[in-house]
Amino acid sequence: GAGVSQTPSNKVTEKGKYVELRCDPISGHTALYWYRQSLGQGPEFLIYFQGTGAADDSGLPNDRFFAVRPEGSVSTLKIQRTERGDSAVYLCASRKTSGGNTNEQFFGPGTRLTVL
Amino acid sequence: AQRVTQPEKLLSVFKGAPVELKCNYSYSGSPELFWYVQYSRQRLQLLLRHISRESIKGFTADLNKGETSFHLKKPFAQEEDSAMYYCALLAYSGAGSYQLTFGKGTKLSVIP
């Protein structure tokens, strides 16, 4: 079946602009995660959704970052007033919460965000 | 707070030589550890997890709670093992969920 997909694959924007990054999880996976990976670093947790609700948003760096998952499937990460320091690869992962191996997260290809 | 340390940014070995990628962690609870791998131009994928005690692609990793380590080992490196390897710890965030905390990664380069 199809894996996690993310669009766009690359996004270049100017400082101060608003961006939206989309994640389409594996069908049936109720848990969804967003991570940010800066150059030379491992992925860093941003936010976790269980179904439609944000169960844990403790990783969001500030209030310019927001994410939604209105129907419990596709999620959108929104960044307002982008700053050059927001440049990174944004990864999405999904996980099933019933059946075997429920701790395995499946990652998307990422969106590379560049803020000029 | 939990932490994962991968001391080597880059590890180069010759084909057929043994490989050991180091990972140390700090966590006050009961740890669950993973190794993720990212091959060139591919997405991050799970390689193995400590609770499975399995060998994947010839790799093994043993959790040593005394040394707080979860080193990844393979007796004979292959060229196709060249990739970025991330050690990750599943830990309670204190905010209602379990989160994966990743190390900075080690780039393994296998020299033919």
Side-chain angles (χ1 to χ4, degrees):
Chain A
V4 178
S5 61
Q6 292 185 246
T7 54
S9 54
N10 278 284
K11 176 71 178 178
V12 181
T13 191
E14 292 179 344
K15 180 175 177 298
K17 299 289 189 184
Y18 168 82
V19 296
E20 289 189 352
L21 311 179
R22 176 188 166 110
C23 172
D24 210 330
I26 293 172
S27 177
H29 282 196
T30 57
L32 185 146
Y33 301 79
W34 283 99
Y35 294 85
R36 179 168 69 175
Q37 186 171 20
S38 301
L39 196 62
Q41 305 293 317
E44 293 176 292
F45 170 82
L46 294 176
I47 187 169
Y48 157 57
F49 285 90
Q50 179 54 47
T52 59
D56 184 351
D57 64 359
S58 62
L60 294 178
N62 52 58
D63 61 7
R64 295 187 298 105
F65 288 75
F66 190 71
V68 296
R69 194 186 186 198
E71 297 177 0
S73 178
V74 170
S75 176
T76 305
L77 179 66
K78 308 180 181 196
I79 310 174
Q80 298 177 318
R81 304 183 304 279
T82 52
E83 299 177 358
R84 293 195 180 88
D86 298 335
S87 296
V89 175
Y90 289 81
L91 296 170
C92 177
S94 71
R95 173 176 67 85
K96 63 179 178 177
T97 54
S98 61
N101 292 334
T102 55
N103 276 339
E104 181 174 356
Q105 295 185 23
F106 293 83
F107 283 81
T111 293
R112 181 176 298 278
L113 175 67
T114 303
V115 182
L116 301 176
Chain B
Q2 59 271 17
R3 178 179 290 179
V4 176
T5 303
Q6 293 180 250
E8 304 134 331
K9 284 184 74 171
L10 174 65
L11 183 65
S12 296
V13 301
F14 285 101
K15 178 182 171 181
V19 175
E20 183 179 49
L21 299 169
K22 291 185 167 48
C23 172
N24 288 90
Y25 67 91
S26 64
Y27 179 51
S28 57
S30 184
E32 186 169 347
L33 285 138
F34 303 81
W35 277 98
Y36 278 80
V37 61
Q38 188 166 27
Y39 300 102
S40 180
R41 289 185 289 278
Q42 294 187 28
R43 62 187 67 191
L44 197 62
Q45 59 186 283
L46 179 66
L47 179 62
L48 55 78
R49 73 196 85 193
H50 91 268
I51 58 172
S52 300
R53 305 182 72 84
E54 58 199 344
S55 173
I56 303 292
K57 299 184 179 183
F59 285 97
T60 58
D62 291 319
L63 176 62
N64 185 324
K65 291 187 179 180
E67 295 183 358
T68 60
S69 68
F70 187 56
H71 303 327
L72 183 67
K73 299 178 184 180
K74 183 169 182 176
F76 308 104
Q78 303 299 314
E79 289 179 66
E80 56 266 29
D81 296 330
S82 294
M84 198 74 187
Y85 291 81
Y86 294 95
C87 183
L89 166 71
L90 188 68
Y92 184 64
S93 72
S97 78
Y98 284 82
Q99 295 175 10
L100 275 179
T101 298
F102 286 85
K104 292 186 177 183
T106 298
K107 183 174 182 178
L108 175 65
S109 177
V110 180
I111 305 162

